[in-house]
Each structure stands twice: as C-alpha cells, then as structure tokens.
Amino acid sequence: MTATTADAIDSAPFERPDLDKGLGAAGNLGFAAAILVAVAYVAYSVYADAAAAGVHATAFLPFALLFIALLIALGFEFVNGFHDTANAVATVIYTNSMPANYAVVWSGFFNFLGVLLSTGAVAFGIVSLLPVELILQVGSSAGFAMVFALLIAAIVWNLATWYFGIPSSSSHTLIGSIIGVGVANALLHGKSGTAGVDWGKASEIGYALLLSPLLGFTVAALLFFAMKLLIRNKALYEAPKGDTPPPWWIRALLIFTCTGVSFAHGSNDGQKGMGLIMLILIGTVPTAYALNRAVPEQYVQEFVVSSNAAESALAAHASAAPPRDATRAVTAYIADKTLVPETIPALGALVDQIETQVSSYGSLAKVPAAATENMRNDMYLASEAIKRLGKEKTLTFTDTETKALTTYKASLDSATRFIPTWVKVAVAFALGLGTMIGWKRIVVTVGEKIGKSHLTYAQGASAELVAMGTIGAADMLGLPVSTTHVLSSGVAGTMAANRSGLQMSTIRNLVMAWVLTLPVSILLAGTLYAILNAIF
C-alpha cells in the first residue's frame, strides 16, 4: 500500500452511528425503578439472612462496614461495565445491526442473565490467589485492608484508562491488585515477596490473560479469511452505507454474537467481584455467610461417608504421627507449599476434626455463631490442602483414593463456596448501570480508532464470534479472561486480514495498557495495603 493510499484511508471520514439517542423518559423511569427494586431486594436479603442466623440488625458496626465494603466492591463492577460490556455492543452499533440505545439495553439484559446463571468457579479461582492467612482472618483489620486496597487500586486504574478511552483489562487490573496485596503482606511479615502469592494459580491465570488477545487476533483474522473465501457477497466486506443495516442473516449473526459475548462477559467477568463480596460478607457477618446453611438435608450423612473415605486415603500415605496443632500445620503447608512428613497426618486429623463437628451439630444450619467462622476456616484449609496435594509429584494416589479425596473436597466446597442470589443480582445491576453510563468512550475506540477503515459486517461478525467462543470456553474452565483484549484484538486481526491498516497510535495505547496494567496495579495495591494496614 502506498503512502498516498494509506493517508487517504486514514483521513476518510467515518459515518458514525447515532450514539446520543437515550432511552427516553419512559425508559429512564423504568431503569430507575428497576434499580430501586434491586436495592430494596438486596437490603431485604441481607437483613433476612442476618436475622435467620441470629444477628441483630441493631449491631451497627458490622452493617456499616458491610455497606462501605459492598459499595466499593460494586463500584469495581460498575467501572468494569464502563470497559468490558461496552466492547460487546461496539460491533452491532457500528454495523447498524442495532441502534445504540437498544444495543446497550440488550447487552445489559444478557449480562444480567450471565451473572445470574454463572457457576462461581471463576469467583473462587480469583479468591484462591489471595494469601491464605488473610482469607482465614478476613474479618480482621488486615483482612479489610486487603479487600479495600485491591478494590480501590483496580477502580483507580480502570477509571484512568477509561477516561482516556483506552480499552484496558479489568481482569488484568484485579489480578495485579491481588498480587500486589500478596507481595506487600509477605514483605510486612518479613518473608520473601514471592511467598505471598500462589504463583502456580497466578501463572495459570496469567497465561489465559496473556494468550487470549493473541488468540483473538489470529483466530479472528483466519475466520475473516475463511468468510472471504466461502461467502462471495461483496456487501459484507464494505463499510455500511449511512444507516443501512446488513443482510438479515448477517444481522442475526451479529446480534447473536453480541448476545453471546454479553452473556459470557456476565458469566465470566461478573464473577470477579462476587468472590470478593463473599469475603466481605464472611468478614462482616460471618454467622450468616461463613457456611452455606441451605445445603440439602442429606448433606451431613453424605459428608460423614466422604470424610471417612478421605481419612482412609490419607492414612495410607501417613508416615508420622499427627502434630498437636493440625490446623497450624495445614496452614503452614498451604502458605509455604512445602510437604513435610507431618503434613498428611495433620490433614487427616483436620478431616476427622471437621467430621466430628459437622456430625455433632446434625446440620450446618444448627452450627452456633461462635463456631461458624472456625468451622468454615477448617473446611477451607482442608479443601485447599487436598487441591495442593494433587499437584505433589512425590505422592501417588490410587484411582480409588483420588476419587475419595475429590468427592470429599467437593462436599467441603459446597459448604463454603457458595454465592447467594442477591449477590448475583447486585453485581448484575452494577455491571448494567456502568454500561448504561460509561459505554460511549470505549465503543468509539473499538468502532473507529483501531482500524483505518470503517468496521464492515464481516469484520464485526468475525471478531464477535471469536470473542464469544474464547470467553465462553474460559468460563467453563474457570479461568478469567479479558473481554476487552479479546474483542479489540479480534477487530485488529480482521483489519490486518483485510489490509485495511491499523491506527498505530491506538494500538500503541492498547499495548502500553496491556504491558503496564499488571505492574501499575501491583504497585498501587501493595502501597495502599501497606498504608491501610498501618491505619486500621
């Protein structure tokens, strides 16, 4: 391509769709009413849960802390809506498949459904990156310093990149904030900075976050090439003329992929705040939220059976007597990741201790307030230790033993890793509200500032299909990925495949945000944690 041709393309005016049309008076009123109903539902649910667990609503301090922490956590999801959900609607808006005001509402609704129907695997995958000692003491001053530091750091960086219209990753930001808190916590306790993070899990998540944009770029480009070879319709590869919508079938495909990306985004990204909200609830109102009091009636009988099987599996590999303090030994194993002769006997003793407690109460709903948090901590430790044992290369469990330990871990997780419906509703509305308010900056960047030519119907469909598939697959695997990076790199891939040219200033900004997000969020969160830890 000659310089003259490139300049002509670069200076060609974009036919921007109408981005200023709102919902109208009736739409705004309905949306406001829905938010009020959601707020009332959340408030009532917290009150009902607390009352059912015997917590008096007159206990002011826990509820004041809960309100502040929830406000910050939902603020993170609100800002997440600015960034990530806006990507889902960019292609349908710029291909005239849907008017902007309808597209935003449509996307928000399917985000809402995605959050409500999510499994929770991503939520607890994020939580498992946090230092184990802070998770076990989340109601302490250090626990609150941790939650506030990582959320505030993530919000600050997300707002800064949104202000400049840079589609950065909320997932990257949150992971960086968690690593920053972990490193700072280790240094404050005289340990090596590397001791404060589960680097195995961090690497697994890091690979998913780093590889997903490359995957988005490559696969979207290949898909676009395939469409050009197989579908000989010239109109699909040209910029929309005025407000002319695409052919009905490509329009249906674009709306379908927008729907899929929105749903997958809600299901994946919506979970990132859920795990942190659950930590907040456990720290402020442990009696109500430390244990899942809604497990089935047969839970205790099944738990006793799985506990006995797990004890037998562990006993076959025990080479020492259990220590006096089994909980401390298991905690040290998870924190230090060092298997010593007393580790397996300690875990076996902890399993027996938990089984005795659960069977003595007869139901999780009957566990007294004073014992709730300790039981939850013991269950969490046992679950994390079993997961860690599965990675030990020096241990070889038989198939029967592996099945027994897996079944037991699942029964532990069902008691401790749960997300109430009202938490999902609150996160869904925070995401939706963020989308409704802040979508335009990121939509304009994706639609106008990545390529040098207007987004075509085929480019929009290719990028959205790849984004939907990548995010959906990551959700099934329990891995967080960045909707922003997958979709924006997909658009860039189709522009490159079409030889449309890329706007290098935007690409530079995207790459800089990609490179800087982790170190900046690590530094921000670590500094904030050190300051808040000293204040609290």
Side-chain angles (χ1 to χ4, degrees), residues 191-509:
K191 299 179 182 178
S192 162
T194 58
V197 179
D198 182 349
W199 291 106
K201 186 68 176 178
S203 299
E204 182 184 321
I205 291 173
Y207 287 136
L209 288 171
L210 291 171
L211 293 177
S212 53
L214 303 177
L215 189 68
F217 183 95
T218 306
V219 178
L222 291 174
L223 184 58
F224 181 77
F225 275 132
M227 287 183 72
K228 269 198 157 184
L229 286 172
L230 299 174
I231 305 172
R232 304 286 184 169
N233 185 336
K234 187 179 178 183
L236 297 181
Y237 310 103
E238 295 177 345
K241 295 177 174 61
D243 58 357
T244 306
W248 70 268
W249 65 272
I250 200 77
R251 187 178 191 181
L253 178 62
L254 281 161
I255 293 173
F256 169 72
T257 52
C258 167
T259 304
V261 170
S262 300
F263 183 88
H265 173 265
S267 182
N268 190 283
D269 277 47
Q271 293 188 55
K272 291 161 190 169
M274 285 184 198
L276 298 175
I277 288 174
M278 288 309 300
L279 284 182
I280 291 165
L281 292 172
I282 292 164
T284 52
V285 197
T287 308
Y289 296 107
L291 294 174
N292 184 5
R293 296 173 179 271
V295 291
E297 289 184 10
Q298 68 272 22
Y299 174 82
V300 172
Q301 291 84 352
E302 293 173 354
F303 183 81
V304 170
V305 172
S306 64
S307 297
N308 291 332
E311 281 187 70
S312 299
L314 292 169
H317 297 268
S319 58
R324 288 186 178 181
D325 192 339
T327 301
R328 176 175 291 182
V330 175
T331 304
Y333 169 61
I334 296 169
D336 301 335
K337 303 174 185 62
T338 303
L339 183 67
V340 296
E342 67 177 12
T343 299
I344 292 179
L347 180 56
L350 185 61
V351 170
D352 180 64
Q353 181 180 311
I354 296 168
E355 187 268 324
T356 301
Q357 288 180 310
V358 171
S359 56
S360 67
Y361 295 123
S363 166
L364 293 186
K366 295 177 182 177
V367 177
T372 300
E373 194 167 4
N374 283 338
M375 185 184 287
R376 184 252 173 199
N377 285 347
D378 286 348
M379 286 181 159
Y380 180 84
L381 282 173
S383 175
E384 288 296 299
I386 289 171
K387 182 175 74 173
R388 181 72 198 167
L389 283 179
K391 300 176 182 178
E392 295 288 353
K393 295 179 181 179
T394 57
L395 282 176
T396 305
F397 292 105
T398 66
D399 290 343
T400 303
E401 291 168 346
T402 300
K403 183 179 179 182
L405 291 173
T406 302
T407 303
Y408 178 65
K409 183 181 183 305
S411 66
L412 290 171
D413 291 346
S414 66
T416 58
R417 301 190 178 200
F418 67 102
I419 300 173
T421 302
W422 71 261
V423 172
K424 295 183 177 183
V425 170
V427 167
F429 268 94
L431 268 176
L433 187 59
T435 305
M436 300 289 285
I437 291 174
W439 60 274
K440 192 180 299 183
R441 288 176 185 264
I442 304 300
V443 163
V444 169
T445 297
V446 174
E448 299 180 14
K449 297 181 179 180
I450 292 178
K452 290 184 177 180
S453 64
H454 197 293
L455 192 70
T456 66
Y457 304 133
Q459 288 173 323
S462 300
E464 285 272 22
L465 271 172
V466 171
M468 182 178 72
T470 304
I471 299 163
D475 185 45
M476 286 188 287
L477 294 171
L479 293 171
V481 293
S482 168
T483 303
T484 303
H485 285 165
V486 173
L487 188 65
S488 56
S489 63
V491 170
T494 62
M495 290 289 176
N498 199 40
R499 297 184 179 179
S500 304
L502 297 171
Q503 296 192 39
M504 295 314 297
S505 60
T506 302
I507 301 301
R508 272 196 305 272
N509 287 340

Side-chain angles (χ1 to χ4, degrees), residues 76 79-80 83-84 158 168-175 269 482:
F76 167 76
V79 177
N80 189 0
H83 271 276
D84 290 14
N158 279 344
S168 76
S169 167
S170 297
S171 303
H172 262 121
T173 308
L174 186 59
I175 300 300
D269 277 47
S482 168

